[in-house]
Amino acid sequence: MLRHIDQQLLNLAFSGLEIGIAVLDENGNVQAANDIYRGLQQNYPQEDILVRQTIQSGKPQKNVTALDDDTWIEQTVCPVPGEKEGIDGYISYLSDVTERETMIEALRLAKEEVTQDIRLEDIFINNLNHEIRTPLNAIIGFNDVLNGVSGHHMEEHEKQTIREHIHKNANRLITIINDILDFSKMEKGSLVMHKTVVSLMEVCCRARDSVKGEVQKGVKLQHEYPTALRDTQIYTDAKRLEQLLRNVLSNACSHTLVGTITLRVSTFTDELDGQQMLRIRVDDTGVGIPHEHREHIFNSFGKVNHEAKGLGMGLAICKQIAKMLDGHIYLDHDYIGGSSFVLEIPLVSVP
């Protein structure tokens, strides 16, 4: 019966369905096919594979394949039982399901994105809870010791050490709160610059000194500052520039257990427009950043290790500040032996 169906009949029967259909004999050879099937067949190399699988199994087979041109083809092959016994032939369907598969993929990605956002939100809340409680508990604990019975019997140098610990943890708590507020402003687009004339060397020194208490034992904090720039006055937002450098230095302190952390200052001329540029880089001999994390390190909550100290907002804030200073910050991929973050901004010097 199948042998008597011709291509013209198939075209008439399925003209409004946009489905390619072909009639195959018991050996899988095409006996008749409509125009849509013939058109799809030209770019669909897997056609014979599914036919052979159907012949071998004796059961209907279905497959969806992505082609090189980003289209998706769905094929279904069904055996047609003979009038008495055995298989009289096969029906093969081909259809372009690109629109359907694209929608499915979009929904899948959207679901993954929502899941990722929820996961990051949970991680952020857990980190926030830890980051606030840790310095707060330290402040309360040290204060109780200092004002308790044991505090009355302490030597003055011991009391001073405890006061320094309280001060250090209070500053850490303030930094966390400021980062949260700045991140919120950044998300709303309301983070603003307040530029004034400041000493470049003073900004760098303050940033370096602010993290001295975070440097691991056995690690040396260094500062390489050229003599020619010692008296340089620049027009910038000193608070934000110092915040950026402090975040990068603090990040280096967290991940450098041995060796050095070096703040390097230099200038160069942009080859494209001849603009005089300031380059400040922080090089460390720490654990470095794995290649799979480098692309996302400046994203919000982009922590290499979610168990590590910090909220994962520092580098995202740095990226935004650098942009607002008309520059950019990046990870030097050619640096070996640790990590190197580089800030490049226009050098607007003031006589």
Side-chain angles (χ1 to χ4, degrees):
M1 179 182 70
L2 291 178
R3 294 183 178 88
H4 300 298
I5 299 178
D6 59 19
Q7 183 169 329
Q8 184 178 8
L9 180 60
L10 289 176
N11 282 331
L12 290 172
F14 294 91
S15 59
L17 297 180
E18 296 298 323
I19 295 176
I21 182 169
V23 176
L24 316 179
D25 63 21
E26 62 272 16
N27 297 316
N29 300 313
V30 176
Q31 298 298 301
N34 67 353
D35 292 340
I36 295 176
Y37 191 95
R38 298 287 187 187
L40 294 174
Q41 185 185 32
Q42 295 177 0
N43 300 317
Y44 184 64
Q46 287 83 6
E47 178 202 9
D48 292 339
I49 298 175
L50 202 65
V51 172
R52 288 197 299 270
Q53 291 176 351
T54 306
I55 294 174
Q56 292 172 1
S57 66
K59 297 179 180 179
Q61 301 290 323
K62 186 175 183 179
N63 185 43
V64 179
T65 304
L67 304 183
D68 294 336
D69 60 355
D70 294 328
T71 60
W72 292 78
I73 300 296
E74 182 177 86
Q75 182 184 18
T76 303
V77 181
C78 301
V80 178
E83 294 180 358
K84 295 182 179 180
E85 60 181 15
I87 301 297
D88 192 26
Y90 302 88
I91 300 293
S92 177
Y93 302 92
L94 286 180
S95 56
D96 187 332
V97 292
T98 303
E99 185 175 345
R100 184 193 72 190
E101 293 299 321
T102 302
M103 185 178 298
I104 291 174
E105 179 67 8
L107 290 172
R108 184 187 66 80
L109 291 175
K111 182 178 179 180
E112 287 184 358
E113 186 175 341
V114 170
T115 303
Q116 176 73 357
D117 288 342
I118 293 173
R119 190 176 71 86
L120 288 175
E121 182 179 342
D122 290 339
I123 292 172
F124 171 71
I125 292 174
N126 290 334
N127 284 336
L128 179 61
N129 179 55
H130 172 75
E131 290 298 314
I132 290 180
R133 284 180 180 273
T134 299
L136 194 57
N137 287 337
I139 292 170
I140 294 172
F142 283 127
N143 184 69
D144 289 345
V145 170
L146 191 62
N147 295 303
V149 176
S150 57
H152 298 302
H153 303 285
M154 286 183 178
E155 299 291 336
E156 187 57 35
H157 71 276
E158 293 176 316
K159 293 182 179 180
Q160 183 58 32
T161 300
I162 290 180
R163 293 191 190 100
E164 290 174 357
H165 281 297
I166 292 175
H167 186 263
K168 173 184 173 181
N169 281 280
N171 282 338
R172 180 181 171 188
L173 192 57
I174 290 173
T175 299
I176 292 168
I177 294 172
N178 285 337
D179 279 350
I180 295 171
L181 294 174
D182 286 340
F183 183 78
S184 176
K185 292 178 182 178
M186 183 181 75
E187 290 290 292
K188 296 176 182 177
S190 59
L191 192 66
V192 296
M193 296 282 108
H194 299 286
K195 295 184 177 181
T196 58
V197 178
V198 296
S199 166
L200 174 60
M201 191 168 103
E202 285 184 11
V203 172
C204 293
C205 288
R206 284 200 303 268
R208 179 201 60 192
D209 293 342
S210 68
V211 300
K212 282 184 175 179
E214 301 177 37
V215 180
Q216 308 284 343
K217 290 183 179 180
V219 177
K220 186 177 181 181
L221 180 62
Q222 302 178 147
H223 187 184
E224 293 184 5
Y225 197 97
T227 303
L229 296 176
R230 288 188 182 276
D231 297 324
T232 299
Q233 301 285 314
I234 61 174
Y235 183 68
T236 190
D237 188 322
K239 177 184 175 182
R240 296 304 179 188
L241 179 57
E242 182 181 336
Q243 179 185 10
L244 185 154
L245 297 177
R246 183 176 63 247
N247 282 350
V248 177
L249 285 165
S250 180
N251 186 67
C253 291
S254 298
H255 299 93
T256 306
L257 304 180
V258 293
T260 59
I261 299 171
T262 307
L263 177 68
R264 292 186 168 91
V265 181
S266 62
T267 59
F268 69 99
T269 302
D270 192 309
E271 296 180 355
L272 295 177
D273 58 12
Q275 169 75 50
Q276 192 71 6
M277 301 290 291
L278 174 66
R279 177 183 288 136
I280 305 176
R281 61 187 301 144
V282 175
D283 301 334
D284 66 53
T285 57
V287 296
I289 299 173
H291 287 278
E292 63 270 21
H293 292 285
R294 291 182 177 182
E295 184 179 349
H296 310 289
I297 196 66
F298 288 101
N299 294 350
S300 302
F301 318 121
K303 296 171 65 175
V304 174
N305 178 8
H306 290 300
E307 302 300 324
K309 185 180 77 172
L311 296 174
M313 298 187 301
L315 291 177
I317 293 173
C318 289
K319 181 180 179 180
Q320 181 67 16
I321 292 175
K323 182 179 179 180
M324 296 181 73
L325 292 174
D326 299 320
H328 68 291
I329 185 171
Y330 60 92
L331 179 68
D332 186 350
H333 296 303
D334 296 327
Y335 182 84
I336 57 176
S339 299
S340 177
F341 287 90
V342 185
L343 168 69
E344 295 178 352
I345 58 174
L347 177 59
V348 185
S349 58
V350 180

